[in-house]
Amino acid sequence: MKKIISYIILITLVVLLSGCKNNSHKKIGILIYDKEDTFMKEYLTSVINTIEEEYYYEVGFADRNQLKQTSQFINFIDRKFDLIIVNAVDRLQSGSFIEKAEQNNIPLIFINREPQSLLNDSKNSYYVGSDSKNTGLLQANIVKEMVTNNKIKDKNNDGIIQTIILKGEQSHQDSESRTIEFIDSLGKLDVSYELLAISVANWDRKQAFDKMRELDQMLDNIELIVSNNDDMALGAVDYLKEKYGEIDLKIIGVDGTNSGLNAIDNNEIYATVTNDIVAQTEAIKKITDYLLKGIIDSDFNYEERFQLIKGEIVKK
Ligand code: BGC
């Protein structure tokens, strides 16, 4: 019985993870660092919806394991895929991916996790991701607007906003730049704040919940939570609801995932900055059509190897 169930699961996976309308279509391999990542799930759906009519595709999920991803990558290379979209587990690994792809004349599009190597020197590899500095600035603009309109409850009446930051994965360019730029911009905007803690929760809702528990002693003093993504913001929401039954501070996220936007509707999260999946997918499609079909969109700058897409503020 166990065997039959595993077999059914395997078949379902194979059907879900590849798509083909026509055998003559060019083949695209897609590598995703973790299939449990909420944002990447929505991103992958959007990429698939955009390419599936015109290209054959297969997806490999790495479960945050670089060795697994490398073997999936080699598999696509050996099977002569025409292009590989890489959401790298370890950004340091990207250099060896670029080298191997060039030896085999296969273009790469890195997405969301920026390669730490000389993409500009590569023949035909690209990066598509969010403009994370801009995201940090927009989060600071949200805080400025809240201060101006007295929307943050000053629990201890000191005129200073007691703040914590929930940070994504260390060394991920989005966690680092969003955090640094947010802090810098608050200073430039003359916002009086006190940073009580920066807590790393690796983009994950459950880990953010646990981090909030660790910060429990200071919870009564916190007036603002700024999170590097919506999922960690939701982890904070979960904890505050469990502890107090209500949320009496302001929370800001990033991404605009479906669950993040719902939380804004329900007044649990105050605002988010989008990590624009539609615009990023469009850029991926344009680069793909250019590399695999020679289609040129005169409005698109193919010289720019780092396509950084700006987000927008969403609030109620
Ligand atoms: C997103 C996170 C996501 C991470 C994955 C970030 O840009 O904001 O939600 O978990 O990318 O690499």
Side-chain angles (χ1 to χ4, degrees), residues 214-250:
E214 279 171 28
L215 299 174
D216 197 80
Q217 278 182 335
M218 60 169 72
L219 268 196
D220 287 344
N221 303 325
I222 299 173
E223 295 162 355
L224 171 70
I225 298 178
V226 177
S227 174
N228 282 167
N229 80 343
D230 287 349
D231 248 25
M232 296 187 295
L234 286 164
V237 167
D238 294 341
Y239 190 77
L240 294 169
K241 283 208 312 209
E242 186 182 286
K243 183 167 162 115
Y244 300 107
E246 57 162 8
I247 296 159
D248 74 336
L249 49 77
K250 289 289 185 281

Side-chain angles (χ1 to χ4, degrees), residues 7 22-23 32 37 56 73 78 102 131-132 153-154 164 171 177 180 183 207 212 214 223 229 240-241 243 255 280 297:
Y7 189 62
N22 179 334
N23 278 338
I32 300 294
D37 184 297
Y56 170 83
F73 179 77
D78 288 348
E102 289 204 341
D131 182 337
S132 39
K153 187 164 157 194
D154 190 2
I164 64 163
S171 90
S177 308
I180 292 170
I183 292 172
Q207 284 189 44
M212 293 302 292
E214 279 171 28
E223 295 162 355
N229 80 343
L240 294 169
K241 283 208 312 209
K243 183 167 162 115
D255 280 343
Q280 291 182 45
D297 176 337

Side-chain angles (χ1 to χ4, degrees), residues 3-4 21 58 62 67 79 91 112 130 146 156 163 172 181 205 210 237 261-262 267 285 295:
K3 257 194 175 163
I4 297 177
K21 301 256 151 141
E58 271 180 42
L67 285 177
R79 290 166 56 214
R91 299 161 59 216
N112 170 264
S130 88
M146 287 195 286
N156 58 354
T163 306
H172 188 304
E181 199 62 26
R205 184 167 181 160
D210 293 340
V237 167
L261 296 177
N262 274 340
N267 300 315
K285 177 70 165 45
I295 297 173

Side-chain angles (χ1 to χ4, degrees), residues 33 37 39 112-113 172 174 178 203 228-229 255 275:
Y33 90 110
D37 184 297
F39 173 72
N112 170 264
R113 301 165 74 88
H172 188 304
D174 286 346
R178 285 173 193 169
W203 305 121
N228 282 167
N229 80 343
D255 280 343
N275 190 346

